[in-house]
Amino acid sequence: MALWATSCSSSEKLFLASSAATKRRMGSRRRDLVHVGMTDQAETETISIAYKEGDRERPKWADETPFSRLVEALISFKPFYSLLKLGARQVLISTAEKNNIPWREMTKEILESDVYKELKTIQNTSLQYPDYYLSPFHAYDEGNLSWLAAAEAEVATMSMTRRAIPYAPSNEEATQEMRGNWVQAIKQHHMKHSGNVTIQNIVDIGCSVGVSTRFLADEFPSAKVTGLDLSPYFLSVAQYKEKKRPPRKNPIRWIHAAGENTGLPSKSFDLVSFSYVFHECPERAIIALVNEAFRLLRPGGTLAITDQAPKSKILQELSPALFTLMKSTEPFLNEYYLTDLEERLREAGFVNMKTLLTDPRHMTMTATVPHQYV
């Protein structure tokens, strides 16, 4: 059985140690983890916990197999798709309710608020949406271009977090493990490869309603943070929620634009982040997003991608019922799993690619713009 860490550098040990206390407390309940012994250059041994990888490069259900094609055919049959869409939605709502996440109350609070006033200040009415973005996503016929999708986005993220980390004692600790490991992977990579470049400017592309953007702003309080998304509805919710919290030293800037063509200046950021974006994109869009990230980053800057992990043991062992439900609401999921992401980054000019499982279902991939890039 392959592990993402059979031997680790000292920086990787620090990454693992960042949540060691939480993981030790939870370790007895975690069937998806394995203890890994590691030896550093001083030959001192430490024991930590790593997330398990499966035996394959990707799940069988994501390969071009007869069974995979059968699932695709079933999903394309509209009456069956409608049932699958309802089932997938119910899985998330049920997970939320079982974990005391007030799905209906949080959604109602947004829909009955003054969030609609934010749209005029956010929306770029001249923006042309990419064709793939007009597809139904996540059981919404309008995809991400609706108020309901925007109102439910944060609570759906909370439910997704609990499905990824069901052993956590609380919703807050589940979020801290998922987001904390992601940020720690970014910090470790940047510290190792940036050449002492300080993270002063961050853009979170595909920021949705700003959950990941706010987390980055909290973790890098001296940085100027930009959240960019294609959905003006999501951005309206992001801006509305940000206005409800105490003012920041550096307010978050929200931009309605395409991630493939942001319109932002070249070499103007030290960190470009994509959180749970690429699995919603066809490969051609992924390539365009990666190329735009390279253009935006300064030499020594860091690219960070967190998303579903093709090598996750849990995802590789999903039951046919669950992966059929998942694929029914993610039209480009197969393309994502079949994309060699590290190779696409290499082709764009990135170096120092590193992929880590940062929770049982998700990976964080980091890379660097070369220092000699002009």
Side-chain angles (χ1 to χ4, degrees), residues 204-221:
D204 187 24
I205 297 178
C207 68
S208 181
V209 294
V211 176
S212 54
T213 321
R214 292 192 295 271
F215 209 96
L216 288 169
D218 290 342
E219 288 290 326
F220 300 95

Side-chain angles (χ1 to χ4, degrees), residues 22 30 89-90 107 118 150 182 214 217 240 282 285 308 342 368:
T22 300
R30 300 175 70 162
R89 177 178 171 80
Q90 190 53 47
T107 301
E118 307 295 336
W182 160 62
R214 292 192 295 271
Y240 172 79
Q308 294 182 27
E342 286 199 10
T368 310

Side-chain angles (χ1 to χ4, degrees), residues 29 91-103 106 155 158-172 174:
R29 296 193 291 177
V91 165
L92 278 179
I93 295 175
S94 176
T95 299
E97 292 176 339
K98 287 177 181 177
N99 288 282
N100 298 314
I101 299 170
W103 182 292
M106 289 180 67
V155 70
M158 294 168 67
S159 181
M160 178 270 290
T161 301
R162 288 304 278 168
R163 289 191 67 77
I165 309 177
Y167 48 80
S170 68
N171 297 325
E172 292 74 17

Side-chain angles (χ1 to χ4, degrees), residues 204-279:
D204 187 24
I205 297 178
C207 68
S208 181
V209 294
V211 176
S212 54
T213 321
R214 292 192 295 271
F215 209 96
L216 288 169
D218 290 342
E219 288 290 326
F220 300 95
S222 62
K224 294 179 180 178
V225 179
T226 298
L228 184 145
D229 201 89
L230 267 169
S231 173
Y233 306 98
F234 283 16
L235 289 168
S236 296
V237 172
Q239 183 166 277
Y240 172 79
K241 293 181 75 70
E242 183 66 12
K243 286 180 177 180
K244 295 293 183 182
R245 58 158 289 146
R248 299 179 188 271
K249 177 184 176 183
N250 294 311
I252 297 173
R253 178 175 57 154
W254 307 103
I255 296 179
H256 182 211
E260 302 95 321
N261 183 20
T262 63
L264 297 170
S266 298
K267 301 181 185 177
S268 56
F269 294 92
D270 308 296
L271 171 63
V272 173
S273 172
F274 295 95
S275 293
Y276 312 106
V277 172
F278 283 9
H279 75 277

Side-chain angles (χ1 to χ4, degrees), residues 11-50:
S11 65
E12 287 166 335
K13 289 181 183 179
L14 183 55
F15 163 74
L16 286 167
S18 68
S19 55
T22 300
K23 292 177 181 176
R24 280 196 296 271
R25 184 172 66 251
M26 301 177 188
S28 62
R29 296 193 291 177
R30 300 175 70 162
R31 291 178 294 175
D32 58 325
L33 302 179
V34 62
H35 288 275
V36 182
M38 298 171 291
T39 306
D40 64 13
Q41 294 178 347
E43 297 187 352
T44 59
E45 188 172 74
T46 62
I47 301 293
S48 191
I49 298 174

Side-chain angles (χ1 to χ4, degrees), residues 51-71:
Y51 302 107
K52 276 188 178 180
E53 289 187 350
D55 296 324
R56 299 172 53 86
E57 287 299 307
R58 66 184 66 86
K60 286 183 179 180
W61 49 261
D63 280 332
E64 293 293 343
T65 63
F67 184 65
S68 179
R69 288 192 288 270
L70 174 61
V71 170

